Amino acid sequence: MVEVNLNPGIQLPKDYKVVLLKNEFGDVEVDSQLAKQSSLAAVSEILNGCMCCILVGQMKTALLEIHESFSPDRIIIETSGSAFPATLAFQIRELEKETNGAFKLDAIVTVIDAENFAGYEDTSTTAKMQAAYTDILLINKWELVSERQLDIVMDHLFTLNEQTPKIKCNGKSGVDPSLIFGLDTKLFQASFSSPGEGEEDKTRWINGTSGLHHQEEVEVVTVRRGITGQNSDKKHLHDENCSHPVHQEHQHHLDGSPFSTNGVDGISTPLTKRELELALVQLPREGIYRVKGFIRIIDESESTGTHILNWAFGRFELTNMDERTGSSALNEHQDLLFTVMGETGEVRSKIRKFAAALRASVTP
C-alpha cells in the first residue's frame, strides 16, 4: 500500500489532456482539491470503499462520464492502496468491446514505497498480489533508505516478480511518461469472443487465487472537530432562546476524549500548526497507513486558513488552500475533518492519543 504524489502533467505537453480517476476509502475528497493546483484536466473521485469489490461497477460509469465530459487523451486510474487490479482490468477489457475501442487498457503500474514495503508486504496478501501482477514496478522513496534496506526490498520484489521491469522514481518528478505509457498490457486478457469463453479464468482472477478478502485488511475511521452527534447535519447554533438541553463545557465522544467549546456546539478554539505537528507525533508508523483531510489552523499572524493534510508512514505534507476552495472543504461549523486508514482492529486504539491531542472525536 503506497501513496503517490500523482501529477502527470509535470512531464507532459501542455495540450495533453489527462484526467485522474481516484478511488479511496473514506468520504473526504482530498485529491480533487489537490488537483486544482496541478495541471490535470480534471479529477473524479469514487469514495467510501474499494471499486474492485465493494463498489464494483462504479468505475465503468465514471469512465463513461469522463469520456463524454472531457474527451481526454489519457485517463489515469489511481486505485485504493489495497485494490487488486484484476477486477478493474476485466471491466476495462469489457468496456473496450462495449464501446468499439473507445477505451483501451494500456498498462498496470504498481508503485512500491521502498521505505515501508518490507514490513507491509509481510502482512498483506494484497501487497504481494499488486507486486506480482503488474506491467512495471516503480520504486518510490528509495533515496530515503540505506543501500542495505533497498537491497532487501529489491530481493522481495524479484522473488515476487522476477521478469517485470523495476524503475526508480526521480523524487516528486516521478518518471518519464514514455516509460509507463504505451505498454499495451497483455495482463488479464481473457477472451470473450464467444459466450462463456474465458469466464473461468476471469472468475479465478477476480476472486483471487487464495481466497483474498483485501477489504478486510483496511479499517477506516473519521476524526473530526465541530458539531457532532445528531446535530451535526443541522448546523444549529445555540443561544439564550434555544430549547435544546443546557450546554456543557465538555462533550464526550465515541473515543472518550473531551474537548472544550467556546459557546458554539462542538466548535473549539482554533488549532495552531504546532499543535497539529505535536499531535502527528502521536501517530505510530505501524498499524496506521494514512491520514488525509482538511484542517483550519491559526498561524503566527493570528490569521486562520484551511489546509490539506496528507500523512503516510510518519511523513506529512500540509498544503495551503485558497479561501474559496477552503471554505468548500469545511463547513462553518467544522475546523477539522480527517479520514484515517490502517490495519483492521488497530486503528481506534492507535489514534486515541492523536485525537485527544487535537481535542477531536473519533467516529466509524
Side-chain angles (χ1 to χ4, degrees), residues 246-291:
V246 177
H247 310 149
Q248 298 180 354
E249 183 178 0
H250 295 284
Q251 296 183 358
H252 294 264
H253 301 281
L254 294 178
D255 64 347
S257 61
F259 62 87
S260 300
T261 64
N262 61 3
V264 179
D265 188 10
I267 296 295
S268 50
T269 304
L271 290 163
T272 64
K273 182 179 180 181
R274 180 59 178 164
E275 286 179 304
L276 173 62
E277 292 172 342
L278 291 174
L280 290 172
V281 173
Q282 305 295 329
L283 289 171
R285 292 183 58 169
E286 294 185 2
I288 302 298
Y289 306 143
R290 188 185 181 193
V291 179

Side-chain angles (χ1 to χ4, degrees), residues 21-25 44-60 62-63 76-80 83-84 87-88 91 214-215:
L21 174 57
K22 169 73 175 178
N23 176 220
E24 192 58 273
F25 292 100
S44 176
E45 294 194 76
I46 298 177
L47 304 173
N48 288 313
C50 184
M51 63 185 177
C52 79
C53 54
I54 301 300
L55 303 179
V56 66
Q58 291 195 20
M59 184 185 69
K60 272 190 177 183
L63 289 173
I76 296 177
I77 302 172
E78 186 180 354
T79 69
S80 69
F84 182 49
T87 309
L88 307 180
Q91 287 186 65
H214 65 271
Q215 185 83 10

Side-chain angles (χ1 to χ4, degrees), residues 108-154:
I108 296 173
V109 179
T110 298
V111 185
I112 301 297
D113 182 340
E115 194 176 22
N116 299 286
F117 179 73
Y120 184 68
E121 180 264 346
D122 289 337
T123 61
S124 171
T125 304
T126 309
K128 296 176 182 178
M129 288 284 202
Q130 290 175 337
Y133 301 105
T134 182
D135 292 292
I136 194 167
L137 287 160
L138 301 182
I139 315 302
N140 192 34
K141 301 182 183 177
W142 59 270
E143 69 276 15
L144 303 178
V145 301
S146 68
E147 186 175 343
R148 173 59 181 160
Q149 289 174 304
L150 183 58
D151 285 342
I152 292 173
V153 172
M154 298 305 291

Side-chain angles (χ1 to χ4, degrees), residues 93-109:
R93 297 288 191 199
E94 291 173 343
L95 194 59
E96 180 178 352
K97 299 179 187 304
E98 294 169 3
T99 60
N100 294 319
F103 292 88
K104 180 178 176 61
L105 180 61
D106 183 19
I108 296 173
V109 179

Side-chain angles (χ1 to χ4, degrees), residues 280-319:
L280 290 172
V281 173
Q282 305 295 329
L283 289 171
R285 292 183 58 169
E286 294 185 2
I288 302 298
Y289 306 143
R290 188 185 181 193
V291 179
K292 64 169 186 175
F294 308 105
I295 181 170
R296 190 173 290 126
I297 56 179
I298 188 168
D299 60 23
E300 295 80 1
S301 63
E302 300 298 316
S303 62
T304 303
T306 302
H307 296 71
I308 298 173
L309 173 70
N310 207 337
W311 180 100
F313 297 106
R315 300 181 184 276
F316 77 93
E317 292 184 349
L318 201 60
T319 305

